[in-house]
Amino acid sequence: MKRLSIFVSGNGTNLQRIADYFANNPEVKIVNVVCNNPKAYSIERAKNLGIPLRMINRQEFNSEAFIQEMKSLDLDLIVLAGFLWKIPEDLVKAFPKKIVNIHPALLPKYGGKGFYGEHVHEAVVAAKEAFSGITIHYVNEIYDSGEIILQAYTKLDEKETPDSLAAKIHQLEQAYFPVVIEQVLLQQH
Ligand code: GRF
């Protein structure tokens, strides 16, 4: 059986979709949800899904104890699903090629510090890009720059707004993220 931990900071639509996708798959278990934001709707979702919830503050998150705690869970993959803190280097080192992130744009453009949530879509629309999309990638020590697993594209319309683009990106995320997670798990030995 494959064991996942899902890190979240916000609404948790990706968390919900991933949990629903694997709900009837006895080979995949979400062992916990790690959340850094006490106001996140993800908390409700984790409770409703019956998944153990681990709230963290910054100090805990950066501690050796947290790494050990995560290691003790015997995880196959950590999934960052709208998680807004940078992953500490030691945590990355403890889970080599075992952390994946979804970014709501086509990296390397519109990545790095400050490019999250609506800020990404605002910047893409303001630049009149012809395309945007999603990037699912492994997490390394440098923000938004780990090896890319998959990018999926969507076209911008002439009248595109950050909100309308967000909706398109959201559809891509829902369609691709669980499937890519499944593929990553299948590739592991
Ligand atoms: C997604 O757009 C994800 O790509 C981004 O944050 C958003 C999270 O949405 N990094 P949700 O919390 O899964 O609803």
Side-chain angles (χ1 to χ4, degrees), residues 10-15 81-82 102-104 170 173:
N11 186 340
T13 55
N14 283 288
L15 162 65
I102 188 160
H103 185 78
H170 192 72
E173 292 183 336

